[in-house]
Amino acid sequence: MSGLFSPGSVGSPVVEATSDQAFLGALLAVESALVRARAAVGMAPPDAAAVVTEVAADVGRFDTDDIASRAREGGNPVIPLVAALASAVPREAADHVHRGATSQDILDSALMLLSARALDLILTDLARTERALARLAAAHRDTVMPGRTLTQHAVPTTFGLKAAGWRSLVLDARDRLIDVRASLPAQLGGAAGTLASFRTEGAYGRGGEALTSAFAGELGLCAPTLPWHALRTPVADLASALALTAGAHGKMAADVLTLSRTEIGELSEGESGGSSAMPHKANPVRSTLIAAAARRAPGLAATLHASLVAEDERPAGAWHAEWEPLRDLLRLTGGAARDGAELAEGLRVHTDAMRANLDRTGGAITSERVAAELARVVGGAAAAKALLTDAASRARAEGRTLASALAEEPALRDVDITALTDPTRYTGFAGDLTDRALERR
C-alpha cells in the first residue's frame, strides 16, 4: 500500500502493525497458538506444537501474494494459508495444524490480535497528547480569549479551559480504548460454534473451557464465554471506541482550524505545511488530516455495526465485510493519534491575537455581565436592557467602545464602567473548571 491516498496514516506505526505481512503473521500466530493450546490440554504432542510454532514464526517463508490470490477460491485467506503451513511441517505435525477449527476462528482471532497491537500503539500516542494538553491547559489557565457560539463572539473564556476540554475528550477515548483492549477475545467455536470436534477429541471442562482458555492465553486475548461467530459485540465495541477516538481528535483539529484562520490568528501549528501555488501560506496540515480522519471514521464504524445483523451460526458476508473497514479504521485512528500528539506538542498560542480579538467588539463581549450589573443600578432588567441596547447601538454607529457610550449615561456616574466592560474580569469559573479537569489522571 503506497499511501498516496492516505497521507493521514501513511508512515504511522499502526500502518506497519496492520500491513498484509503483519496480518499474515497474526494468522500464523493464531494457528500455532491453537496447536500449543491443544498440546497444553493433552490433545496434541508437544513436539508437534514446537515444530509448528517454529515454522509459523518464519513469516517470510510464506508467499503473501500467492495466499491472497488463492483466497478468492474459498472466500478467505485462511484456507490457502493452512495448506501452506501444513505442507511446511512434518506430516505428524501437519495432522495437528488447524485441527478442529474453522477459518473464522483463525481470522477473527488474528484480527483481534492485530487490533490489540494497534491499540497499544494508539494508546501510546494518546498519552503524549494528554501530557501536552495538560501543559497547555496549566500554562494558559488564565489566558483570556473570546468564547464563540454559533460562529460569533459570546462571552470570554480561557484557552486553558479549551485545552482542558480537548484533554478530557482524549482521556475519554483513552478509557474506552483501554476497556476494549482488555476485553478483546479469541475466537474458537469450530464449524458451527459448538466446539463439537474438540469434544470428540476429548476436550475437557465445561464447554471446552480448558482448551478455549489455553488458546486465548497463548494469544494474550480474553477467553470468550461463547463463540462469537455471529455475535459481533467485540467488533462493534472496537469500532465505537475507534470512532470516538478519531472524533475526539477531530474536535481539537476543528478548533485549531478555526482559530488559525488568517483573520483570527489565535493559534498556529508548530510546523505548518506549504502550498503548491501560494508561497505565503502556512497551512494547518496536521489538523486538516485529523479532521479528514474524523469525518471518515463514523462511516467505517457504521459498516462494522451493520455486521451485528448476522444470520445463522456463521454468516455469509457479515464477517467478511468487516476486514477492510476494521483495518481502515485502525489506520485512520492511528494516524489521527500520531498527528494529534504532534499537533498538541507543537501548538503555538498567540495571546496577543486573543487579546486583540477580545477587543474587536469594543467591549460588547461583556454585555451579559453589564446587563446584570445595570439592572441593579437602573431599576430592573427591562430598563437595563433598554439602556444597554441604546448605548451599544451608538457605540457601533460611531465606531467607539461600549464603555465610552455607557459613560455618557447620567444614571451610571458611580459605576466603574471600565472594570465592568473588561473581558478579562468575566471568565466565570473557567480557572476552577480547568483545575478540576486537570485533576483527572
Side-chain angles (χ1 to χ4, degrees), residues 111-278:
L111 283 177
M112 294 298 100
L113 186 58
L114 214 66
S115 296
R117 294 168 179 171
L119 291 186
D120 289 341
L121 296 170
I122 293 170
L123 285 166
T124 297
D125 280 333
L126 292 190
R128 288 174 56 198
T129 305
E130 178 276 320
R131 289 192 296 269
L133 292 177
R135 290 193 295 269
L136 283 170
H140 294 281
R141 177 188 186 277
D142 301 312
T143 299
V144 186
M145 64 179 292
R148 297 172 172 91
T149 62
L150 301 179
T151 76
Q152 305 297 300
H153 283 202
V155 296
T157 185
T158 67
F159 181 66
L161 183 57
K162 183 177 286 290
W166 297 341
R167 177 179 177 269
S168 181
L169 283 175
V170 169
L171 291 179
D172 288 345
R174 176 204 65 183
D175 291 348
R176 283 159 178 77
L177 289 182
I178 288 174
D179 287 345
V180 167
R181 170 67 179 87
S183 64
L184 292 176
Q187 175 76 280
L188 191 62
T194 65
L195 293 166
S197 63
F198 296 111
R199 183 165 191 172
T200 300
E201 289 191 71
Y204 58 89
R206 185 176 58 133
E209 282 179 327
L211 177 61
T212 301
S213 295
F215 177 54
E218 290 288 345
L219 294 171
L221 298 172
C222 289
T225 302
L226 294 173
W228 46 280
H229 293 147
L231 310 173
R232 307 309 284 176
T233 302
V235 177
D237 281 347
L238 177 58
S240 296
L242 290 169
L244 172 69
T245 302
H249 287 80
K251 162 57 178 169
M252 175 172 64
D255 282 344
V256 173
L257 288 170
T258 296
L259 299 179
S260 62
R261 290 176 181 271
T262 303
E263 59 271 26
I264 297 176
E266 294 175 4
L267 298 176
S268 61
E269 293 191 3
E271 294 182 9
S272 301
S275 166
S276 63
M278 294 166 283

